Amino acid sequence: MTSPLASMIAEHADIEKRLADPDLHNDPSVARELTRRYAELATPVDLARQLESVEGDLEAARELAEQDVSFRDEVVALEESLVELNGRLRAYLVPVDPDDSRDAILEVKAGAGGEESALFAGDLLRMYLRYAERRGWRTQVLDANPSDLGGYRDVSVAVKARGSAAPGHGVFGRLRFEGGVHRVQRVPVTESAGRIHTSAAGVLVLPEAADVDVEVDPNDLRIDVFRSSGPGGQSVNTTDSAVRITHLPTGVVVSCQNEKSQLQNKESAMRILRARLLAAAREKADSEAAAARASQVRTVDRSEKIRTYNFPENRISDHRINYKAHNLEQVLDGDLDSLIDALTEADQATRMAGSP
C-alpha cells in the first residue's frame, strides 16, 4: 500500500506536469484549484526532501563517529533535527478535512438574553474581525441586522485569506471549531441592580463554496426584493434594495439588506446560499461531516454551550477540551490563537488515533 507521504509526493509531481501544460489554463477555475493544491503540497514535499537529506547525513556521521569521537556532536545535532522534521511533517500527514484550506462564511446570531444577547453577538463579531486582522485576512460584512443598542440580532461575514495556507491553517481550518453556542456571564448595561446575567449567541462557520463546487439552477430560485428595515440612512429605506433568495428544492432561505445596491445584496445572498448548500451536500455525502456540523449551533440555547465568557472572573472556558484561561479581555480583542491551537491539537490527536 502506498504511504500517505509517497502519495503526496506523487500528486505534487503530477500537478507540476499539468501546470506546465499551456492548455490547462484555458479553464481558469481548474488552473486555480490545481495551483492552490500545488502550493498546499509544497511544504510537506520540501520537508520530506529535507528529512531524506538529514537521514543520509546522519548515517554518514554515525559511521564517522565510530572512527573519530569528534563527530559525536554532529550525530546528536542531526538526531535532534530528525526529530524536529518528523514532528513538523507528521502534522501534514494527519487526515484533514479537505475544506480546511477554504475561505469561510461566519454567521453570528443573538439568542437567549434579549438585547444583552445582541450586544454579546456584537462582541463576538468584533472578536472575529480583530482575529482576522491579526492573521492578515480580509473580511466583508455580507449582511447585518443591528439591534437598538448597537449589537446584532444576526450578522454574516465573509473571511478570506491572502494567498495559500498550510493544511489546517486556512480560514475555515482555523475557525471551524468556533461553531456552536457561546455563553456570556456578566452584568448587562441594561441591569440597574448590578446582577450578573447569563445569555447566549450562536456562531456558525461554513466553508465558502466556489461556483464549481455548487451548481445552482436559476430555475430553482425564487428571488424577492423588499425594503431594508434596519439602520442605514434615508436612501436605504426608500428603495427596494433588500433581496431574499429561496432555494426551492431544499427550502433554504437567505436574505441580505446590508448594501444599498440590489445587485450587491443579491451577490452576497448567493455567496451565503452556496456555502449553505455545500455544507448540506457534505452532510449528506459524509457522515463524519454531518457529525462535525451537528457539533455546531442548532438552537441558540444556553444549555448547548461550547464556551463560556465569564466577565467577573476574567475567565474563558472551552467545555469541549476543558480549556480555561484568565485572559478574557485579550481573547475578545482577537487573541484567539492559543485557544484555537489547543482545539486543533485535540482534534489532530483524535484524527491520529483514528488513522491506520
Side-chain angles (χ1 to χ4, degrees), residues 110-132:
E115 191 64 44
E116 162 62 5
S117 177
L119 289 170
F120 179 49
D123 292 337
L124 292 176
L125 173 64
R126 284 186 288 275
M127 177 180 76
Y128 292 125
L129 293 178
R130 287 169 181 167
Y131 180 63

Side-chain angles (χ1 to χ4, degrees), residues 103-297:
D103 295 323
I105 289 179
L106 184 144
E107 301 179 19
V108 183
K109 298 178 183 295
E115 191 64 44
E116 162 62 5
S117 177
L119 289 170
F120 179 49
D123 292 337
L124 292 176
L125 173 64
R126 284 186 288 275
M127 177 180 76
Y128 292 125
L129 293 178
R130 287 169 181 167
Y131 180 63
E133 185 179 358
R134 287 170 180 256
R135 302 286 298 188
W137 296 338
R138 293 173 291 169
T139 57
Q140 177 189 1
V141 176
L142 300 177
D143 191 47
N145 184 11
S147 69
D148 295 336
L149 296 182
Y152 288 93
R153 295 183 182 90
D154 55 78
V155 58
S156 299
V157 183
V159 189
K160 299 180 71 67
R162 301 178 189 272
S164 300
H169 289 267
V171 175
F172 182 71
R174 293 297 286 172
L175 292 179
R176 60 182 302 148
F177 302 111
E178 294 303 297
V181 176
H182 297 238
R183 184 178 71 168
V184 63
Q185 295 172 326
R186 65 183 175 187
V187 178
V189 294
T190 54
E191 170 59 57
S192 58
R195 292 172 296 186
I196 296 173
H197 286 225
T198 298
S199 59
V203 176
L204 185 63
V205 185
L206 303 170
E208 180 154 15
D211 292 349
V212 295
D213 296 320
V214 179
E215 291 186 12
V216 179
D217 187 340
N219 295 322
D220 289 339
L221 303 178
R222 185 177 73 234
I223 301 177
D224 302 307
V225 296
F226 56 97
R227 290 192 177 182
S228 300
S229 58
Q234 298 272 338
S235 60
V236 173
N237 296 317
T238 56
T239 60
D240 292 331
S241 59
V243 174
R244 180 188 299 110
I245 299 178
T246 304
H247 186 247
L248 299 174
T250 61
V252 174
V253 179
V254 178
S255 298
C256 278
Q257 60 177 6
N258 204 52
E259 303 294 339
K260 295 182 180 180
S261 161
Q262 186 182 117
L263 178 61
Q264 288 177 311
N265 282 325
K266 181 181 177 182
E267 290 175 349
S268 295
M270 285 300 298
R271 289 177 69 179
I272 297 173
L273 176 64
R274 284 196 176 92
R276 291 185 181 177
L277 291 177
L278 177 64
R282 292 283 194 267
E283 286 181 16
K284 186 176 180 180
D286 189 334
S287 59
E288 183 179 339
R293 179 154 166 86
S295 70
Q296 295 198 30
V297 59

Side-chain angles (χ1 to χ4, degrees), residues 7 21 32 46 58 65 73 84 97 117 129 157 176 212 307 325:
S7 297
D21 182 357
R32 275 197 305 271
D46 181 59
L58 179 57
D73 289 343
E84 189 262 340
D97 189 313
S117 177
L129 293 178
V157 183
R176 60 182 302 148
V212 295
R307 189 178 299 158

